[in-house]
Amino acid sequence: MQHSQRTKNNFAYFLLTLCLFFSITTGAVYANNIKTQSAKQILQLGQPTEEINDAEQNVKTPVLQLPSDVAVYKNRIYVVDGSNHRIVVYDLQGKFLFSFGSQGDQPGQFYYPVGIDAAKDNRIYVADSGNHRIQIFSDQGVYLSAFTVKDKGKRGRPIDIMLHNKTGNLIVSSSNHHLLTYSRQGKLLKTWGKNGTSRGEFRYPATLSELADGRIAVVDVLNSRVQVFNTDGTISLMVGHWGVLPGQLFRPKGIAIDAKGNFYISDSYMGVIQKYADDGIFSAVLGENGKPYSIDTPVGITINNNRLYVVEMKSNKVSVYQLAD
């Protein structure tokens, strides 16, 4: 590929992608006096005004630009820094450790990556959307392998990637309104769904998460819902529906599941995180005293050790909340 040509329209392409999948503009604000669940913000990653040199460590603290997703593995936080074509890694105290990747199409390079999974097999899986591929790295950021995402015989844009612990396969959400199941060697095993609004159909499936029993939760962005599938592809549960009231979703993006099976779903347009019980019934909005926290374009989220990590795309940061036990 000729990157001198590709980069002419790169920013416009990325904004289009974000508008389709993540709804970059924050919309209406919830009224007060609704059911809320408090969570103390304990950490914030990103938001330096410029690259900062650390003389002792001989590194620069990076500036994030339109981050989209976050994953936590062992003692490290991995942030997809999409507009900078890299993955930025921090420790659990928020100290910058290292980054990997740069703009390009060579092994280990990225072109607007979107989703990430830090998996239990000590691998980091990245949906390298602009390059139509999944790339696999060690937890140190060392490139290991890659495979092209093909959807119905054509190259597809992967949005998210997840190693499914129950089967050992990789699940990929595609911009072509499908879920794709691959072996870890990159062999396509199964294609799920199609463009539509019925159960089991999608309009831009995005973030993926695995429940404790192996079921697969999929954020169905433009259908304003989360669909939960059994491992055979049949529907198990629907969470949320279109709307702007508590318990409804306008532009869901991220999903995380806590140890009790509760669903936390980010709504990038409404600027809130909603909580649903394991049966899909609305429980609360993250906030205090009936007033939701105002979160700036929340997109990718994850839960690790009772900490909720929230990517705030428009503010170029990741906020970390301590959830109640």
Side-chain angles (χ1 to χ4, degrees):
M1 298 181 187
Q2 295 295 318
H3 282 286
S4 60
Q5 296 177 359
R6 291 175 67 191
T7 54
K8 289 181 180 179
N9 297 316
N10 59 2
F11 189 65
Y13 159 73
F14 196 48
L15 284 182
L16 176 61
T17 301
L18 299 179
C19 287
L20 282 172
F21 301 116
F22 310 130
S23 192
I24 195 168
T25 303
T26 300
V29 178
Y30 280 8
N32 294 340
N33 300 318
I34 64 174
K35 189 173 182 181
T36 53
Q37 175 182 314
S38 63
K40 181 181 179 181
Q41 185 174 337
I42 58 174
L43 192 62
Q44 191 174 98
L45 312 176
Q47 276 201 312
T49 57
E50 60 184 4
E51 303 275 338
I52 302 170
N53 281 302
D54 184 334
E56 291 184 5
Q57 299 295 324
N58 193 31
V59 295
K60 289 183 177 181
T61 299
V63 176
L64 302 177
Q65 291 188 335
L66 298 180
S68 58
D69 203 4
V70 59
V72 180
Y73 181 67
K74 294 183 177 177
N75 296 317
R76 289 178 177 164
I77 305 165
Y78 298 82
V79 179
V80 179
D81 189 12
S83 197
N84 284 319
H85 316 281
R86 64 186 176 185
I87 308 299
V88 180
V89 186
Y90 304 86
D91 67 16
L92 295 182
Q93 289 71 49
K95 180 181 178 181
F96 169 66
L97 297 176
F98 61 92
S99 65
F100 58 94
S102 60
Q103 184 175 345
D105 61 1
Q106 298 303 302
Q109 294 184 317
F110 300 110
Y111 193 59
Y112 295 108
V114 178
I116 191 170
D117 186 22
K120 293 181 180 179
D121 63 352
N122 296 318
R123 300 290 185 263
I124 309 300
Y125 297 86
V126 182
D128 186 8
S129 185
N131 282 322
H132 306 271
R133 66 187 178 186
I134 299 299
Q135 294 204 73
I136 305 169
F137 299 83
S138 75
D139 58 359
Q140 302 290 327
V142 177
Y143 171 81
L144 299 175
S145 63
F147 61 87
T148 299
V149 172
K150 291 187 177 180
D151 192 347
K152 299 296 184 181
K154 299 179 180 180
R155 292 196 308 170
R157 295 190 188 279
I159 304 305
D160 200 15
I161 169 71
M162 178 183 75
L163 174 64
H164 189 254
N165 293 307
K166 288 288 184 180
T167 63
N169 294 324
L170 298 172
I171 311 295
V172 176
S173 55
S174 165
S175 63
N176 291 337
H177 316 290
H178 296 131
L179 290 188
L180 309 170
T181 300
Y182 287 89
S183 70
R184 276 190 271 188
Q185 292 71 44
K187 180 182 178 181
L188 181 62
L189 303 175
K190 183 179 180 180
T191 300
W192 303 9
K194 63 179 181 179
N195 188 6
T197 60
S198 298
R199 292 165 62 91
E201 297 177 345
F202 304 104
R203 289 198 300 160
Y204 296 107
T207 311
L208 308 168
S209 188
E210 182 178 356
L211 282 69
D213 60 8
R215 286 179 295 162
I216 301 163
V218 185
V219 176
D220 188 6
V221 176
L222 292 188
N223 282 326
S224 303
R225 64 191 180 189
V226 169
Q227 299 194 69
V228 181
F229 293 87
N230 298 308
T231 53
D232 63 1
T234 58
I235 285 283
S236 167
L237 186 66
M238 304 280 281
V239 182
H241 59 275
W242 185 89
V244 297
L245 299 177
Q248 299 175 338
L249 299 167
F250 194 89
R251 282 295 177 267
K253 163 49 179 85
I255 183 168
I257 301 166
D258 69 15
K260 297 179 180 179
N262 296 302
F263 299 91
Y264 289 78
I265 302 173
S266 64
D267 191 320
S268 64
Y269 186 82
M270 299 303 296
V272 297
I273 306 293
Q274 296 198 67
K275 179 183 177 182
Y276 296 78
D278 59 0
D279 58 2
I281 302 300
F282 171 73
S283 175
V285 177
L286 216 63
E288 291 186 44
N289 302 319
K291 183 178 181 180
Y293 298 141
S294 180
I295 303 174
D296 194 0
T297 321
V299 287
I301 62 177
T302 193
I303 293 175
N304 182 269
N305 289 333
N306 231 29
R307 288 184 172 187
L308 175 66
Y309 296 77
V310 181
V311 177
E312 298 188 54
M313 177 180 283
K314 201 173 179 183
S315 292
N316 298 314
K317 66 183 180 182
V318 178
S319 296
V320 185
Y321 296 87
Q322 183 66 54
L323 299 174
D325 293 329

